[in-house]
Amino acid sequence: MWPQTVVQTCVIHLLRNTFRYAGRQHWDRMSKDLKPVYTAPTEAAAKERFAEFAAAWGPQYPAIVRLWENAWAEFVPFLDYDVEIRRVICSTNAIESRNARYRRAVRVRGHFPTQQAALKCLYLVTRSLDPTGKGQARWAIRWKPALNAFAIAFEGRITPTGN
């Protein structure tokens, strides 16, 4: 359907799953050891940092090392992006939250007589997330640098609108 799609795992969820296997007393040290992995400038650098992490924590927590190894293919695309893009795509929480609200609205209404009615329902749900419109200012501060980086990284795939 979307041939140019890049599949990437949620970095925040990967980290949360990591800490699920570790004892609370190790979380601070472990997070300091993992930060160089997901902030590495390249995949090679991340792989080196992960090897160091695996050497330090692997004997005590082999499930964590396996978790990262299994998720590596979906984690690596994250490292190809600029810092601005990484900042907005490291978590899928916003997307998951919006999708959950869409599902809830559609489930409550059951069915729609026309496609236009379904689109109107989704539009109204989207507007209800920020009824005053004040979230737009926060959105601009967070997304404008990322939008510039997206335009460069995905040249020809992002077209400016008249707004």
Side-chain angles (χ1 to χ4, degrees):
M1 177 60 93
W2 306 100
Q4 296 178 315
T5 300
V6 177
V7 176
Q8 179 219 307
T9 191
C10 176
V11 177
I12 301 295
H13 287 113
L14 184 58
L15 290 170
R16 285 182 188 155
N17 289 336
T18 298
F19 296 124
R20 180 180 301 149
Y21 292 107
R24 177 70 179 105
Q25 69 273 19
H26 297 130
W27 285 7
D28 290 337
R29 281 193 12 240
M30 192 174 284
S31 65
K32 286 179 185 173
D33 291 347
L34 267 177
K35 190 170 184 174
V37 175
Y38 63 85
T39 59
T42 64
E43 180 183 355
K47 201 166 262 194
E48 288 176 20
R49 300 295 83 78
F50 180 69
E52 294 169 4
F53 175 83
W57 294 101
Q60 190 170 6
Y61 297 112
I64 292 174
V65 174
R66 188 176 309 124
L67 172 75
W68 277 79
E69 289 171 347
N70 291 341
W72 195 260
E74 286 88 29
F75 165 71
V76 170
F78 178 76
L79 300 172
D80 292 336
Y81 298 117
D82 291 341
V83 174
E84 293 84 9
I85 294 175
R86 288 183 187 189
R87 206 171 284 138
V88 296
I89 68 169
C90 69
S91 174
T92 57
N93 287 344
I95 296 166
E96 290 172 5
S97 172
R98 181 162 293 183
N99 286 338
R101 289 178 187 227
Y102 288 155
R103 279 192 304 274
R104 188 177 321 127
V106 169
R107 187 173 47 244
V108 166
R109 284 159 187 84
H111 69 281
F112 299 94
T114 64
Q115 183 178 1
Q116 188 67 24
L119 288 174
K120 183 176 181 179
C121 173
L122 296 178
Y123 170 78
L124 291 173
V125 169
T126 302
R127 293 295 300 166
S128 72
L129 297 174
D130 185 23
T132 63
K134 292 184 178 174
Q136 189 75 20
R138 289 190 311 271
W139 181 90
I141 291 169
R142 184 172 178 208
W143 276 87
K144 289 298 182 177
L147 188 57
N148 283 290
F150 275 124
I152 292 168
F154 297 105
E155 188 172 356
R157 291 172 62 184
I158 296 178
T159 55
T161 61
N163 296 344

